[in-house]
Amino acid sequence: MSENNGAVETGFNGKILVVDLSSGSISVENVAENLYREYLGGYGLGARFLWDRVPAGIDPLAPENMLGLLPGLLTGTPLFGQRWQAVCKSPLTGGWGDANCGGDFGGVLKLAGWDGVLFFGKSENPAYLLVEGEKVELRDASDLWGTGAIESEVELKARHGKRASVANIGQAGETLSLISGICNDHGRLAARSGVGAVMGSKNLKAVVAVSERKIISQTPETIKMLRANLDDMVKPLKDFFSNFGTTGITAGSALNGDSPVKNWGGVGVVDFPQETAMQIDGGTAINPKMEKKYGCWHCPIACGAESVESTIEKYPYPHHTHRPEYEAMGAYGTMNLMNDPDALIYLNHLCNEYGFDVISAGGAASFAIECFENGVITKEDTGGLELRWGDAEAIVELTKMMGERRGIGDVLADGVQAAAAKLGPEAEQYAMHIGGQELPMHDPKLQPEFHTTYKLDPTPGRHTQYDANRRIGTIPAAPEDSKDYAGRGDHHKAAAEYMHVVNAGGMCQFIMMTANTANIPTWFNAVTGWDMDLDEIMAVGERIANLRMAYEVREGGNPRTRNVPTRVTGETSEATHAGPLEGVRLDTELLEVDYLNACGWDPESCKPSSEKLVSLGLSEVAEVLHV
C-alpha cells in the first residue's frame, strides 16, 4: 500500500463500470473489499459477476450476455501484474467462457481508476467506450467498423494520445466468428472462447483507456521486495524466455512428441523431422527477423519481440509485427507441416489483424487440408484453391478467406465443430476439438494432466489451466513416469487451483515459472494490507474453480460427456506408430475419475457437491445446483 494525498492507496480501486449498450447508460458500482479477498480479480471477480448477473440459458450472442473485461489483483502494481481477462458465456462452447491476455490494456484500465468494465445490451450503431479517469463516455465507431484490430488501434491512439490503450476487435469479431478474440497492444489477444464474437454481437468495436498515472500502490518497500524477488528468479529459464520467447521450444517440441503434427494424425520425427523443424527454430530462423524485444506492461522478462519489415512480397508483414508465440508456430507450422518462417510471421499478423484465435485458426486450416485430402471438400468448394500440407501460400489465402468470410472461409470461420456440422458426418473425424474448442499445441500423451484439463475444465481445450509449479510448496507431486496414470488427482486439483490464483491475480504464467511463487501471499498482502497466508490463497483458487464449474453445469454443460478425439488419447495409433509416443494410450477413465473425486465433483455430472460449495462460502450457488 502507499499514501496518496493522505489516503491509503491499495492495489485495487474498489469500483467497476457497468455499461448498458442498449440504452447508452453508464453506471459506477463499488465493489466490497471482501469480494477482492475472496476472488482477487480477473476471472475470479468475473465468475462472481457472470453467475449473479446473467440469466441461465441465454443465447451467448444475445444482448443479455455479459462481456466483462477485468484486470487481475496485481495488474497495474509493481509486483508481477500484467494480465487481464475477458469473461462471458461462450458462443463457441455454450458454457463458461474466458480468455486471458497480456499487453498493456489491463494495467492502463486499472491506472485509469477501474477494476473492470461489464457490458450488457447491444448498441444500435457501432460504438466504442472511452475511459479517461472519471470521464467515461460512449462514442460512435461507425467509421472504424470493418477495419482490422491493429489498424483501428492505431487510429484510436492517434485520436486519444500516446497514453491510450485500446482493446478492440477486428473483422472476425465484427462478423461474429466463433473463434475470434479481443486484441490490444497491436497484436496481443484475449483469444479463446469466442469472446470477440460476444463483443461484436454488442456492436462494440473498442474500449479505450487513458491514464496519466504510471503505477499503482508503489512504495519503497514494494520496490525493495520486487528487486529481491527478481534476484531470486530462476535465471536460466528467465534468460531463455527473454532471448527466445515461447518460439524457442518450437523445433524441440516437434520432435519430442509435445507438438501435434498433421492435424494430430502425424508424428514429428516422421512427418516433420529435425531438418524440417530446424527451419522454424526460434533462435536460428525467427529471431534474425526480429528488430527489438517486446514486453507486456512493466514485465521483468519481456519474452516477446517485434519484427523488421518483411522483404517477401507474398508475406508482407509490417514493421514491428509481433514474433509468433509457440502456439502460433505449432498451430500453423507443425500442424500443417509448414516450415516457412516468413509465412508463419505473416499468418500470425493476419490472425492478429482479423482478431482470430491463432490456435483455432491454424486448427481450422489443418482440418480443411485433411478434408480436402480425403475428398470431403473439393476445388469446387474452395474456389479452385488446392489445399495441401506444407503449402504456405494456400494456407495464407485460406486464412484471408476466413477473415473475409469468403467461400469455404465462411464455413471455417466458426471453428471446426461448426464446420464439420455443415460439411457432414465424413468431416467429423477430422475435427480436432473438445467441447467445440480447438486443441492447444501440447499432446496429453506426453503430459497426462493435459487430458483432464482439456476435457474437464469448464472452458475446454485450454493448456493454461494447468501448471505444476514446484516452488509454491502446496502442490503434491505427480508420478514421475508420464505413463503412470494413477494418483494424479490431488496433484492436478492443486495445480489447477494454483493457476486460478495466478490468473485472477493478473500474473503471467511465465513469470510464475521463474519466480519464487511461495511469495504470493507477501505480494498480495503488500498491496492490500491483508494478512492472507498460502492456505487462504489456495482456498481462493478452489472457490474460483467451483464457481466456474457451477456455472458450466447450470448452463447445461457436462464436461464428463465431452468427446475427445481418439488421436489425442492414443486410442487409435495414427499419431503413436513411431517416435517418442509410440504405443502410448491414456487411461482416460482413471485420470478423469481420480481428478473429479479429488475436487469433490460428481464423477458422472461434474456437479460440485453441496458440501464443497457451502464450505467455500457458496451456499446460494449450492441452492441453485441442488434443488
Side-chain angles (χ1 to χ4, degrees), residues 137-346:
E137 60 181 324
L138 285 166
R139 293 196 175 184
D140 184 71
S142 298
D143 62 322
L144 298 171
W145 205 255
T147 60
I150 299 172
E151 180 184 356
S152 54
E153 178 183 343
V154 170
E155 169 58 29
L156 287 166
K157 285 188 172 182
R159 294 181 191 179
H160 299 294
K162 64 181 181 180
R163 290 194 180 277
S165 177
V166 179
N168 67 351
I169 54 174
Q171 297 96 327
E174 294 175 0
T175 60
L176 310 188
S177 162
L178 301 186
I179 58 171
S180 61
I182 302 170
C183 184
N184 84 124
D185 214 0
H186 64 279
R188 316 307 289 186
L189 257 71
R192 311 235 72 190
S193 298
V195 296
V198 175
M199 192 162 172
S201 75
K202 297 183 176 300
N203 267 345
L204 180 64
K205 177 65 175 178
V207 180
V208 181
V210 185
S211 177
E212 294 299 317
R213 287 197 295 176
K214 294 183 178 180
I215 206 156
I216 187 173
S217 195
Q218 178 171 282
T219 65
E221 290 76 18
T222 57
I223 296 303
K224 182 178 179 181
M225 183 192 307
L226 173 63
R227 289 172 179 162
N229 280 268
L230 288 173
D231 289 340
D232 190 35
M233 282 188 170
V234 180
K235 192 173 186 305
L237 190 56
K238 179 178 182 292
D239 290 346
F240 179 87
F241 280 129
S242 182
N243 290 325
F244 305 108
T246 56
T247 306
I249 69 171
T250 303
S253 293
L255 303 174
N256 68 12
D258 188 25
S259 294
V261 174
K262 209 175 179 182
N263 200 31
W264 289 84
V267 175
V269 295
V270 175
D271 300 294
F272 207 74
Q274 184 169 0
E275 60 271 20
T276 304
M278 288 305 297
Q279 292 179 49
I280 55 172
D281 174 68
T284 59
I286 303 297
N287 273 2
K289 300 179 183 297
M290 298 296 115
E291 181 182 77
K292 65 176 184 177
K293 290 187 177 182
Y294 162 87
C296 297
W297 186 90
H298 282 260
C299 178
I301 292 181
C303 69
E306 296 179 340
S307 73
V308 299
E309 186 173 359
S310 172
T311 59
I312 310 298
E313 185 176 350
K314 59 187 176 182
Y315 307 130
Y317 53 85
H319 193 206
H320 290 175
T321 291
H322 280 285
R323 179 173 62 197
E325 300 293 343
Y326 164 73
E327 297 295 324
M329 300 289 285
Y332 269 109
T334 59
M335 279 274 281
N336 291 290
L337 305 188
M338 188 170 60
N339 64 342
D340 186 323
D342 287 295
L344 288 167
I345 296 170
Y346 183 51

Side-chain angles (χ1 to χ4, degrees), residues 55-138:
I58 63 152
D59 182 335
L61 296 179
E64 293 83 2
N65 198 3
M66 179 192 93
L67 175 67
L69 306 183
L70 299 145
L73 179 69
L74 291 183
T75 304
T77 77
L79 295 172
F80 305 127
Q82 292 81 25
R83 301 190 73 83
W84 56 280
Q85 279 118 43
V87 175
C88 62
K89 183 175 182 180
S90 168
L92 182 65
T93 69
W96 169 269
D98 69 62
N100 196 325
C101 195
D104 61 7
F105 177 74
V108 176
L109 181 64
K110 193 92 163 278
L111 296 173
W114 306 99
D115 295 330
V117 187
L118 308 183
F119 292 97
F120 297 89
K122 178 179 180 179
S123 177
E124 183 176 353
N125 298 306
Y128 72 93
L129 183 74
L130 176 63
V131 181
E132 295 180 293
E134 297 296 318
K135 178 185 175 183
V136 184
E137 60 181 324
L138 285 166

